[in-house]
């Protein structure tokens, strides 16, 4: 199978994870990014802005022809991807078209609306609708009746060179921006409790002020007894996958999106109510039950490495595409 992968040069978690997963499973010569994305082929960025990096290849696509490809992938709900897709429409003809909708919004292609591209999106997609849509914020009540739309959450990159720390030096952490309001509420509830004030679990955090970045951030996550997770712009967050991957026990809101093979409560993770009324009690319970917490964290890590790497997402993608093409 050979895919033409239309991408945006802007980093996009789902686009980038999908690209690198597909390259691993199909080979670099069978997943051709267009426009050629330097961040996919040159070590220019650190984690998490390097999720698509797979190693150097020369630009392999000429816009003059798309013969030899089996399908076209629109990698993101970004302006660059949309306009590139439009420019290729006369050549795509009957090839299957797949849209990866990794935006925060629950509406199909909602990020095009958020970015002020509603008119362009409608005009371009009316010319040729995608045959398959892989959606991050998949809400069963909204999307379950759409047989061409599939749940497709974030994942964890298969190839990160980082191992969990052996010792836990922090009790409870939530290193994140305070929006939306549930995050601000959580941070206020944690003020003065556990070691939160000392470890940086405080208000007014931001990308530019984070003390923990790149792979060091993941190493620090692994040093936490408990990592908290709350929704951001969307239900799906990278933290939801990072904490289990780094052998940190996770207490989280239960995502209201569909996640095939999701973590299970009381086996892998602990859920808290959306009003956070049981947050402190849940933290207290698991801090007092070391053996249970450690066992659950280990089971969550095993589950993630069995079902939730980006190579697993690539296999799912390929399976659905092959079924459509059969």
């Amino acid at each position: 199978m050979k895919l033409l992968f239309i991408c945006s040069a802007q980093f996009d978690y789902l686009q980038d994870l999908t690209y690198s997963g597909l390259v691993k499973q199909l080979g670099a010569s069978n997943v051709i990014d267009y426009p050629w994305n330097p961040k996919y082929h040159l070590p220019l960025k650190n984690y998490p802005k390097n999720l698509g990096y797979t190693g150097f290849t020369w630009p392999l696509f000429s816009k003059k022809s798309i013969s030899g490809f089996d399908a076209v992938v629109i990698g993101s709900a970004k302006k660059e991807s949309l306009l590139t897709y439009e420019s290729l429409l006369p050549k795509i003809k009957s090839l299957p078209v797949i849209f990866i909708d990794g935006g925060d919004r629950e509406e199909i292609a909602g990020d095009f609306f958020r970015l002020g591209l509603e008119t362009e999106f409608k005009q371009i997609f009316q010319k040729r609708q995608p045959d398959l849509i892989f959606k991050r914020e998949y809400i069963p009540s909204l999307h379950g009746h759409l047989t061409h739309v599939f749940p497709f959450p974030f994942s964890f990159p298969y190839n990160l060179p980082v191992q969990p720390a052996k010792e836990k030096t922090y009790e409870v952490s939530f290193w994140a921006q305070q929006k939306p309001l549930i995050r601000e509420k959580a941070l206020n509830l944690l003020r003065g409790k556990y070691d939160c004030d000392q470890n940086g679990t405080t208000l007014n955090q931001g990308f530019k002020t984070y003390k923990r970045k790149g792979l060091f951030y993941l190493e620090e996550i692994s040093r936490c007894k408990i990592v908290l997770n709350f929704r951001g712009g969307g239900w799906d967050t990278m933290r939801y996958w990072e904490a289990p991957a780094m052998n940190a026990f996770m207490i989280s809101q239960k995502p209201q999106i569909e996640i095939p093979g999701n973590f299970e409560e009381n086996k892998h993770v602990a859920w808290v109510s959306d009003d956070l009324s049981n947050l402190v009690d849940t933290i207290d319970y698991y801090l007092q039950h070391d053996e249970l917490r450690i066992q659950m964290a280990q089971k969550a890590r095993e589950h993630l490495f069995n079902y939730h790497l980006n190579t697993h997402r690539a296999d799912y993608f390929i399976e659905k595409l092959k079924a459509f093409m059969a």
Side-chain angles (χ1 to χ4, degrees), residues 200-253:
T201 299
T202 57
L203 295 168
N204 301 315
Q205 301 175 63
F207 288 122
K208 294 183 179 180
T209 59
Y210 285 153
K211 295 179 180 179
R212 301 167 174 91
K213 298 181 180 181
L215 296 183
F216 177 62
Y217 163 77
L218 292 179
E219 293 170 1
E220 288 282 86
I221 285 284
S222 76
R223 295 185 176 97
C224 299
K225 292 181 179 179
I226 294 175
V227 171
L228 304 178
N229 179 71
F230 309 100
R231 68 163 297 161
W235 284 102
D236 195 13
T237 66
M238 281 302 296
R239 185 176 292 99
Y240 190 77
W241 310 103
E242 292 164 340
M246 299 311 299
N247 205 32
F249 179 72
M250 182 169 64
I251 297 175
S252 175
Q253 279 180 289

Side-chain angles (χ1 to χ4, degrees), residues 247-265:
N247 205 32
F249 179 72
M250 182 169 64
I251 297 175
S252 175
Q253 279 180 289
K254 184 177 182 180
Q256 298 304 305
I257 59 172
E258 183 171 331
I259 298 176
N262 197 8
F263 301 112
E264 297 179 33
E265 186 177 23

Side-chain angles (χ1 to χ4, degrees), residues 182-183 185-186 189 228-231 235 251-256 265 270-283:
I182 189 167
R183 291 184 169 193
K185 183 177 182 180
L189 285 171
L228 304 178
N229 179 71
F230 309 100
R231 68 163 297 161
W235 284 102
I251 297 175
S252 175
Q253 279 180 289
K254 184 177 182 180
Q256 298 304 305
E265 186 177 23
W271 305 136
V272 291
S273 60
D274 288 336
D275 64 5
L276 302 186
S277 58
N278 62 342
L279 175 61
V280 173
D281 287 344
T282 304
I283 293 172

Side-chain angles (χ1 to χ4, degrees), residues 11-279:
F11 88 94
D12 180 288
Y13 289 146
L14 194 57
Q15 170 190 271
D16 299 346
L17 284 163
T18 304
Y19 172 80
S20 55
L22 288 170
V23 167
K24 174 62 176 176
Q25 301 306 78
L26 295 176
S29 62
N30 289 317
V31 187
I32 308 302
D33 50 310
Y34 181 75
W36 189 79
N37 192 332
K39 292 193 289 293
Y40 288 174
H41 304 289
L42 301 171
L44 301 174
K45 298 291 182 180
N46 296 319
Y47 182 88
K49 294 188 176 183
N50 65 345
L51 293 174
Y53 177 69
T54 59
F56 183 76
T57 59
W58 291 104
L60 296 174
F61 174 65
S62 169
K63 193 175 176 181
K64 295 179 181 178
S65 172
I66 60 173
S67 63
F69 288 98
D70 297 298
V72 175
V73 181
I74 308 168
S76 66
K78 296 280 199 301
K79 182 177 182 178
E80 184 178 0
S81 298
L82 181 66
L83 297 182
T84 300
Y85 174 58
E86 180 185 31
S87 72
L88 293 174
L89 275 174
K91 298 179 175 64
I92 290 174
K93 298 180 180 178
S94 62
L95 284 180
V97 174
I98 304 96
F99 173 42
I100 300 172
D101 186 356
D104 287 336
R105 293 197 177 186
E106 60 187 27
E107 307 98 325
I108 298 291
D111 265 24
F112 287 134
F113 293 77
R114 179 180 63 83
L115 295 169
L117 298 168
E118 177 180 357
T119 300
E120 292 90 338
F121 155 69
K122 289 181 176 179
Q123 290 175 346
I124 293 168
F125 272 45
Q126 280 176 356
K127 296 177 184 177
R128 175 68 192 277
Q129 293 284 342
D131 298 290
L132 303 175
I133 297 174
F134 291 84
K135 183 156 183 63
R136 169 185 162 221
E137 295 291 302
Y138 183 104
I139 309 291
S141 61
L142 291 179
H143 309 123
H145 67 289
L146 301 171
T147 58
H148 68 300
V149 180
F150 303 99
F152 203 63
F154 289 153
S155 55
F156 192 77
Y158 75 92
N159 59 344
L160 276 189
V162 60
Q163 292 295 320
K166 295 181 179 180
E167 295 185 4
K168 302 291 186 182
T169 55
Y170 307 113
E171 288 185 321
V172 181
S173 78
F174 182 58
W175 300 320
Q177 298 184 88
Q178 66 195 55
K179 293 182 180 180
L181 286 176
I182 189 167
R183 291 184 169 193
E184 184 175 344
K185 183 177 182 180
L187 290 167
N188 279 316
L189 285 171
L190 295 168
R191 189 181 300 174
K193 292 183 173 64
Y194 317 112
D195 61 346
C196 291
D197 293 353
Q198 292 73 39
N199 72 36
T201 299
T202 57
L203 295 168
N204 301 315
Q205 301 175 63
F207 288 122
K208 294 183 179 180
T209 59
Y210 285 153
K211 295 179 180 179
R212 301 167 174 91
K213 298 181 180 181
L215 296 183
F216 177 62
Y217 163 77
L218 292 179
E219 293 170 1
E220 288 282 86
I221 285 284
S222 76
R223 295 185 176 97
C224 299
K225 292 181 179 179
I226 294 175
V227 171
L228 304 178
N229 179 71
F230 309 100
R231 68 163 297 161
W235 284 102
D236 195 13
T237 66
M238 281 302 296
R239 185 176 292 99
Y240 190 77
W241 310 103
E242 292 164 340
M246 299 311 299
N247 205 32
F249 179 72
M250 182 169 64
I251 297 175
S252 175
Q253 279 180 289
K254 184 177 182 180
Q256 298 304 305
I257 59 172
E258 183 171 331
I259 298 176
N262 197 8
F263 301 112
E264 297 179 33
E265 186 177 23
N266 300 324
K267 181 179 180 180
H268 305 120
V269 300
W271 305 136
V272 291
S273 60
D274 288 336
D275 64 5
L276 302 186
S277 58
N278 62 342
L279 175 61

